[in-house]
Amino acid sequence: MEYRKNDIVTLEIVDCGTDGEGIGKADGFTVFVKDAVIGDTVTAKIMKAKKNYGYGRLMEILKPSPYRVEPICPSARQCGGCQLQAVSYEEQKAFKEKKLRGHLERIGGFKELPMEPLIGMDEPYHYRNKAQFPVGRNKEGRIVTGFYAGRTHAIIENRDCALGIPQNKEVLDRVIAHMEKYNIAPYDEMTGKGLVRHIFVRYGFFTGELMVCLIINGQDLPHQKELVEKLGEIPGMTSISLNINKKRNNVILGDKVKTIWGKEYITDKIGDISYEISPLSFFQVNPHQTWKLYSKALEYADLHGEETVWDLYCGIGTISLFLAQKAKFVRGVEIVPAAIEDARRNAHLNEIDNVEFFVGKAEEVLPREYEKNGVYADVIVVDPPRKGCDEMLLKTILKMQPKRVVYVSCDSATLARDLRFLCDNGYELKKVCGVDQFPQTVHVETVVLLQRKNM
């Protein structure tokens, strides 16, 4: 049977796509349905039809899945942030393990996978130490803040995100009240006018320090002294700043930060290592799970105090400093100069001197240092962006022949591709472990151990 746009179909949801959408079939026609859960029986309206598959909108749940739960956030279906909040947490973890296994088998061609159980969270809510809230007006002209609906820039009003910290609401209430009192306009993307673009909050889970940064389309905030007084009443407030962004684009943060009260940074910890975090610093958003992730990477690195380690895509030195506790020497590489400044400062803060940091592309710095300066590595750790490792970098790793490669990945598809390349050229896949850094979403982090063959 041929299905067309606007047809209504009844589906039993039998699988889950990589973006968390339910998958059902009607007479051999596959339909992807956002917000449907494996085990549901639903009716869906076809919104887009191809020859053998289509995309449907969930209309009615005829029979709910045993895995279906009531989302604790009333905006869960509208907001683009959580794709899996209607799924029980045990089933979320099973989905992520299946997604990881599927990519490694299908893309990487690996058959017998040495997978360890996925590391989940005891409390899979309120884990984010960072949130960026866009500010705008609703249809009635009232100032609102919250999150963008999926694939749009329409703001879903929400001041109390289920993934964020309770202090977010206190900050947002005070900033919006200040804007209303002094007639400060939110930024309008269509006209480029208005002042306040985003409200950015950071929190130190282990220190209790709180940072607020207002991203503005101007140089100053009217009556900022009064706002500082209000925000300063919130327990833990440590840093209040303005970030200047006058560009007409979708990039949230500009390059210039003006501290208007307190310190320029907050401090937080991962394990025994302290980190100074500014508004522009990259820092993992789930510190509890980051400690588990890095501990697993450290376990796989198997350091005994005599090893030279390279940490590629090192950011502000989070993994580098973790590794330096057990290694003889660690060299980190990162393309962002400000991140390397943070890394050096964090090394000094922790009195760690067996580290060295390089600014540049990992695929350029590593070959240069290896071929010109003869540096080597016993262990190489990589934590690349979603696109995975550059092929030149992988080829240099093969030339250097470290005993072990520890690959930390935020995208299991590009991970599978890179692992296949390394394992076709002298390495063996020894261990794989998924870590749930982002409960309620489809994302999964992975740590992999590769060992050089014939050791």
Side-chain angles (χ1 to χ4, degrees), residues 103-171:
H103 281 153
L104 291 175
E105 289 176 347
R106 193 172 63 255
I107 299 170
F110 297 99
K111 300 303 179 196
E112 295 183 12
L113 287 167
M115 283 186 66
E116 299 187 71
L118 180 132
I119 299 173
M121 286 197 80
D122 296 331
E123 173 47 60
Y125 290 98
H126 303 295
Y127 59 80
R128 287 188 63 96
N129 60 11
K130 167 186 162 184
Q132 297 166 141
F133 298 88
V135 186
R137 293 191 189 274
N138 62 13
K139 291 176 181 176
E140 291 74 42
R142 189 166 52 84
I143 298 174
V144 294
T145 186
F147 298 99
Y148 292 130
R151 303 179 190 277
T152 77
H153 269 215
I155 296 175
I156 303 300
E157 188 170 6
N158 183 354
R159 300 189 191 183
D160 193 15
C161 172
L163 303 190
I165 55 170
Q167 292 92 329
N168 283 339
K169 186 175 186 307
E170 286 192 65
V171 170

Side-chain angles (χ1 to χ4, degrees), residues 270 273 275 282-284 290-291 293-298 301 303 309-327 330-332 343 346 352 355 357 379-384 406-409 445-447:
I270 298 175
I273 305 296
Y275 300 90
F282 172 80
F283 193 68
Q284 293 278 6
T290 298
W291 179 80
L293 178 75
Y294 290 178
S295 295
K296 184 58 68 173
L298 190 59
L303 304 175
V309 182
W310 278 84
D311 175 22
L312 310 177
Y313 310 97
C314 71
I316 66 169
T318 40
I319 295 183
S320 303
L321 301 182
F322 228 66
L323 297 167
Q325 298 173 98
K326 295 285 184 75
V330 178
R331 293 180 174 91
N346 288 324
I352 293 173
V355 290
F357 293 104
V379 178
I380 289 179
V381 177
V382 295
D383 185 6
V406 178
Y407 196 132
V408 180
S409 169
E445 296 273 325
T446 312
V447 190

Side-chain angles (χ1 to χ4, degrees), residues 58-342:
L58 178 65
M59 302 301 288
E60 185 182 359
I61 301 168
L62 302 175
K63 180 184 174 187
S65 164
Y67 308 123
R68 179 174 282 281
V69 297
E70 188 64 31
I72 69 170
C73 173
S75 306
R77 190 169 170 184
Q78 298 168 282
C79 174
C82 294
Q83 302 88 16
L84 299 178
Q85 212 180 113
V87 182
S88 72
Y89 188 52
E90 287 305 309
E91 188 61 18
Q92 287 185 37
K93 291 190 289 184
F95 159 73
K96 293 182 183 190
E97 279 201 339
K98 183 181 177 184
K99 176 181 176 179
L100 174 55
R101 185 181 292 276
H103 281 153
L104 291 175
E105 289 176 347
R106 193 172 63 255
I107 299 170
F110 297 99
K111 300 303 179 196
E112 295 183 12
L113 287 167
M115 283 186 66
E116 299 187 71
L118 180 132
I119 299 173
M121 286 197 80
D122 296 331
E123 173 47 60
Y125 290 98
H126 303 295
Y127 59 80
R128 287 188 63 96
N129 60 11
K130 167 186 162 184
Q132 297 166 141
F133 298 88
V135 186
R137 293 191 189 274
N138 62 13
K139 291 176 181 176
E140 291 74 42
R142 189 166 52 84
I143 298 174
V144 294
T145 186
F147 298 99
Y148 292 130
R151 303 179 190 277
T152 77
H153 269 215
I155 296 175
I156 303 300
E157 188 170 6
N158 183 354
R159 300 189 191 183
D160 193 15
C161 172
L163 303 190
I165 55 170
Q167 292 92 329
N168 283 339
K169 186 175 186 307
E170 286 192 65
V171 170
L172 298 176
D173 286 350
R174 292 173 195 228
V175 174
I176 300 301
H178 181 83
M179 292 175 67
E180 290 170 342
K181 181 176 180 179
Y182 295 105
N183 295 314
I184 299 170
Y187 180 71
D188 185 326
E189 288 186 344
M190 300 299 291
T191 65
K193 299 187 184 303
L195 185 64
V196 181
R197 299 174 71 126
H198 281 78
I199 303 165
F200 178 17
V201 184
R202 272 193 143 138
Y203 180 66
F205 269 78
F206 298 97
T207 61
E209 295 182 0
L210 190 65
M211 168 186 286
V212 175
C213 179
L214 301 188
I215 294 91
I216 60 172
N217 178 39
Q219 291 296 327
D220 285 296
L221 186 75
H223 301 278
Q224 69 186 31
K225 181 183 175 187
E226 288 85 348
L227 179 61
V228 163
E229 287 176 2
K230 288 292 184 185
L231 292 175
E233 294 169 1
I234 302 173
M237 188 61 65
T238 303
S239 173
I240 303 174
S241 61
L242 303 176
N243 176 265
I244 315 302
N245 183 3
K246 298 181 183 180
K247 294 180 180 177
R248 299 270 311 256
N249 58 28
N250 293 333
V251 177
I252 294 177
L253 288 165
D255 297 328
K256 185 180 178 184
V257 177
K258 290 168 58 176
T259 301
I260 59 175
W261 182 86
K263 296 181 181 178
E264 296 178 356
Y265 56 84
I266 59 171
T267 305
D268 204 12
K269 298 183 76 171
I270 298 175
D272 295 328
I273 305 296
S274 295
Y275 300 90
E276 290 180 356
I277 310 154
S278 72
L280 299 179
S281 297
F282 172 80
F283 193 68
Q284 293 278 6
V285 301
N286 185 341
H288 291 289
Q289 290 299 94
T290 298
W291 179 80
K292 295 176 185 177
L293 178 75
Y294 290 178
S295 295
K296 184 58 68 173
L298 190 59
E299 175 194 323
Y300 283 3
D302 191 25
L303 304 175
H304 300 279
E306 298 301 320
E307 296 87 358
T308 296
V309 182
W310 278 84
D311 175 22
L312 310 177
Y313 310 97
C314 71
I316 66 169
T318 40
I319 295 183
S320 303
L321 301 182
F322 228 66
L323 297 167
Q325 298 173 98
K326 295 285 184 75
K328 180 180 180 181
F329 200 83
V330 178
R331 293 180 174 91
V333 184
E334 171 59 53
I335 193 171
V336 181
I340 290 297
E341 288 175 24
D342 285 344

Side-chain angles (χ1 to χ4, degrees), residues 434-449:
V435 180
D436 191 13
Q437 284 274 88
F438 309 103
Q440 318 309 325
T441 80
V442 296
H443 303 296
V444 59
E445 296 273 325
T446 312
V447 190
V448 173
L449 170 62

